[in-house]
Amino acid sequence: MGIELGKSSVREFSDGEIQVNIEESIRGHHVFILQSTSSPVNDNLMEILIMVDALKRASAETVSVVMPYYGYAREPITSKLVANMLEVAGVDRLLTVDLHAAQIQGFFDIPVDHLMGAPLIADYFDRAGLTGDDVVVVSP
């Protein structure tokens, strides 16, 4: 895309707490965080929340989170809790892929872009001429 990554650092204190430093001015900028909440889900989720808070306090115009995997999506209560935490931290928009349940989008009061992977994979198979018995898809 021709866009450089922003300068930031993340470190862990000896007690396991996470520290995030934004190492450049982002005042008035539209900032995108790309982070999954895959394992270790708790660490990755806290890292997002702390980074969003740091960006908002540094006067970012907007903060959009691109979260390819939305942790805690299996149960509605925890899914709504994560939605609330992201919003309270200051996320302005969320982009995610293949939510456990499409209804999770309704847990947010901010825009959510829910991308589906199946149409992309199906299009690839079609263009490659792979159909019917020629294709096996395996997923964990």
Side-chain angles (χ1 to χ4, degrees), residues 2-135:
I3 299 172
E4 290 185 32
L5 292 177
K7 293 177 180 64
S8 66
S9 62
V10 178
R11 73 181 199 106
E12 191 173 304
F13 292 109
S14 59
D15 66 354
E17 292 178 3
I18 298 167
Q19 178 187 30
V20 174
N21 288 320
I22 309 302
E23 299 171 346
E24 64 181 278
S25 175
I26 50 85
R27 181 178 302 275
H29 286 94
H30 299 281
V31 180
F32 290 80
I33 298 172
L34 173 59
Q35 170 111 355
S36 180
T37 55
S38 58
S39 184
V41 64
N42 297 333
D43 291 348
N44 289 329
L45 181 58
M46 279 305 296
E47 191 174 304
I48 290 171
L49 297 171
I50 294 168
M51 186 166 284
V52 169
D53 182 71
L55 291 166
K56 287 303 229 183
R57 291 176 191 275
S59 300
E61 179 74 21
T62 62
V63 176
S64 299
V65 172
V66 179
M67 187 183 294
Y69 175 78
Y70 186 94
Y72 288 107
R74 289 182 183 89
E75 296 186 17
I77 292 175
T78 55
S79 185
K80 174 63 175 163
L81 176 62
V82 170
N84 287 345
M85 290 190 306
L86 290 168
E87 287 184 32
V88 168
V91 173
D92 296 293
R93 179 177 214 105
L94 176 72
L95 185 142
T96 190
V97 181
D98 288 329
L99 288 170
H100 190 73
Q103 295 87 340
I104 292 171
Q105 296 172 83
F107 294 162
F108 287 87
D109 293 324
I110 59 172
V112 175
D113 296 304
H114 176 211
L115 304 180
M116 306 289 276
L120 294 172
I121 293 170
D123 181 59
Y124 170 79
F125 288 156
D126 277 347
R127 285 186 284 116
L130 301 171
T131 59
D133 294 333
D134 299 336
V135 178

